[in-house]
Amino acid sequence: MAGMSGTMGSMPMTPPTQPANAATPGPNQVFIGNFAFQPASLTVPVGTEVTWINQDDVPHTVTSRQKGVFASQALDTGDHFSFHFGSAGTYAYYCAIHPIMNGEVIVR
């Protein structure tokens, strides 16, 4: 083919980006996706605020197994819920909509 060179010229080559659901939780974050809390167990120091972010296509809650400690409203896709852990202990939680989903925050 006349006029075509074997180089890409000035076309910039950019690496592909990862899909949003392939992200890794940051410090003190728990992602909700594929009907699971990720990570399922998180260890933090006393005084830490933990944030849960729903990346699933359906609503979920973050509800303490110990009544009255913390409970989110139903979180739609992209919504988040935060809780400040002021005392040491193990805080088990689940999704009240999908009780098979479980997690824990260990506060030291």
Side-chain angles (χ1 to χ4, degrees), residues 22-59:
T24 302
N28 310 322
Q29 289 183 332
V30 177
F31 286 172
I32 305 168
N34 297 319
F35 290 86
F37 296 105
Q38 301 167 27
S41 182
L42 179 67
T43 302
V44 298
V46 172
T48 299
E49 181 175 86
V50 174
T51 300
W52 291 263
I53 304 166
N54 186 8
Q55 295 186 324
D56 225 337
D57 293 334
V58 298

Side-chain angles (χ1 to χ4, degrees), residues 15-99:
T17 58
Q18 288 186 336
N21 61 358
T24 302
N28 310 322
Q29 289 183 332
V30 177
F31 286 172
I32 305 168
N34 297 319
F35 290 86
F37 296 105
Q38 301 167 27
S41 182
L42 179 67
T43 302
V44 298
V46 172
T48 299
E49 181 175 86
V50 174
T51 300
W52 291 263
I53 304 166
N54 186 8
Q55 295 186 324
D56 225 337
D57 293 334
V58 298
H60 295 290
T61 72
V62 179
T63 307
S64 172
R65 291 245 176 233
Q66 185 178 351
K67 192 164 183 77
V69 176
F70 58 86
S72 72
Q73 300 293 327
L75 304 174
D76 287 324
T77 305
D79 286 350
H80 67 276
F81 169 75
S82 296
F83 183 78
H84 181 266
F85 290 90
S87 299
T90 298
Y91 297 82
Y93 63 89
Y94 69 107
C95 172
I97 301 168
H98 310 100

